[in-house]
Amino acid sequence: SVAGHRSTSMALLLLLPLAASLVPQPMRRRAVLSAPPLVAAGLLSPLAFGCGCGCGGLIHPPSALAISATTMTGKTRPDLGVVLVDQVSQQGQTLSADLVVAGGLICSVAFDSKWKLAEGGYYDVEANTRDGEAAFLQRVALPKGSTLDSLPAKWFTSAVLGVDGRYGAYGAPVDGKVIADVTSSGKRLVDISFTSLSPGGAESSRKAVVSAVQPAGSTDALLLVAGASAARWKKSGAEADARAAAQSLRVVGTRKTALAPEAPSDYRFGKTTGPSSMKSRNDGPDYSKYAADDAD
């Protein structure tokens, strides 16, 4: 009957959204790099792992990615754990930011750098140059019962050099090594070297200084990673600039908050991350050009 036909058609229309939700979605680049081999190869649906986010059930969308999963070029932004309550500012050579950290706190943090504040959806709190020098902030939860002093040095390379990190857009960095490790006045300074990958698979040797502080009352550590290509580390003065930035990292103060260090607490949550007044860069740097420098 006509009525029966209409009922059937209506039922099918109501079921379409449900059916669409069950179709596996294309995996993001970083999810592919971390997913089980069969999932990454497209031979097994991520739904088989009980997870429909395209990560094989091993990773779920990180909090920072919920703000803006990709840039305009489709490049997945890093997950540095940074939840901002307001815009990052730079006065002279001082960068300042207010972050939500564990323990019900907003932490005001600052560091000094002669490099320019990076703008755009790819960045959280970062100063960089066109030549690849960069100093960026990362928030990491400390292992239960640990302090900065008690952590092994390799914890810092693991925290910084993951596939979700700043240097992991084209695969997790390799050859991570700790060169030096010093603790002074409640701040941990760890020198590291590693090799990052470019879009074309070229390798770029890099060096960095990781500075770490722990806000009082929080179980989080704030890391400032300041580094450059190995080719520019000595001959271009990048090492001196990176060390100065790392050593300047400081907690200005903290205040209580009901906000949790999760994506919805970030002032950027739900907003687009395109250029602002045509000034912001919405893409991350291309490290392939530094591979050629390393060969010099």
Side-chain angles (χ1 to χ4, degrees):
S1 65
V2 175
H5 177 72
R6 288 179 177 174
S7 298
T8 302
S9 299
M10 183 61 68
L12 289 174
L13 288 174
L14 292 174
L15 288 173
L16 280 176
L18 175 61
S21 68
L22 295 177
V23 177
Q25 300 299 311
M27 298 175 68
R28 293 189 293 271
R29 188 194 325 273
R30 293 177 194 254
V32 171
L33 294 170
S34 299
L38 291 179
V39 175
L43 300 178
L44 185 63
S45 168
L47 295 176
F49 289 82
C51 177
C53 69
C55 67
L58 297 184
I59 347 176
H60 296 284
S63 59
L65 296 187
I67 300 167
S68 176
T70 59
T71 62
M72 290 174 66
T73 60
K75 181 177 179 179
T76 305
R77 74 192 303 280
D79 173 24
L80 303 180
V82 174
V83 178
L84 296 171
V85 297
D86 204 350
Q87 292 183 341
V88 181
S89 65
Q90 183 174 26
Q91 297 294 327
Q93 294 188 355
T94 300
L95 277 75
S96 303
D98 286 350
L99 288 72
V100 183
V101 297
L105 297 172
I106 291 177
C107 177
S108 297
V109 63
F111 66 93
D112 302 323
S113 176
K114 62 180 1 179
W115 304 332
K116 185 179 179 181
L117 173 66
E119 297 178 293
Y122 190 81
Y123 307 100
D124 292 313
V125 184
E126 177 169 329
N128 62 24
T129 73
R130 292 183 177 181
D131 294 315
E133 290 89 358
F136 62 88
L137 202 63
Q138 182 171 347
R139 179 186 65 86
V140 185
L142 293 172
K144 187 175 181 180
S146 298
T147 63
L148 283 180
D149 293 343
S150 65
L151 291 171
K154 65 180 181 180
W155 180 87
F156 293 90
T157 56
S158 298
V160 173
L161 303 181
V163 71
D164 287 327
R166 177 67 172 76
Y167 300 108
Y170 304 104
V174 296
D175 301 328
K177 297 178 181 177
V178 174
I179 302 173
D181 182 8
V182 178
T183 300
S184 176
S185 302
K187 182 184 301 180
R188 188 91 174 256
L189 292 168
V190 181
D191 287 27
I192 65 174
S193 65
F194 59 96
T195 300
S196 62
L197 303 177
S198 74
E203 296 184 345
S204 174
S205 297
R206 301 186 65 81
K207 293 187 176 183
V209 181
V210 182
S211 178
V213 295
Q214 183 178 1
S218 177
T219 54
D220 286 342
L222 297 180
L223 312 183
L224 182 71
V225 184
S229 68
R232 295 183 59 82
W233 190 247
K234 290 288 188 182
K235 69 181 182 182
S236 299
E239 179 183 7
D241 294 340
R243 291 194 183 282
Q247 291 171 352
S248 72
L249 176 65
R250 55 198 180 272
V251 173
V252 178
T254 58
R255 60 185 187 272
K256 286 290 186 179
T257 182
L259 297 173
E262 300 172 353
S265 301
D266 196 295
Y267 84 97
R268 301 166 293 176
F269 183 74
K271 297 180 180 179
T272 58
T273 54
S276 173
S277 301
M278 301 304 290
K279 289 173 55 181
S280 300
R281 279 175 43 192
N282 216 33
D283 191 18
D286 178 3
Y287 291 105
S288 59
K289 62 182 178 181
Y290 310 128
D293 293 339
D294 296 340
D296 294 342

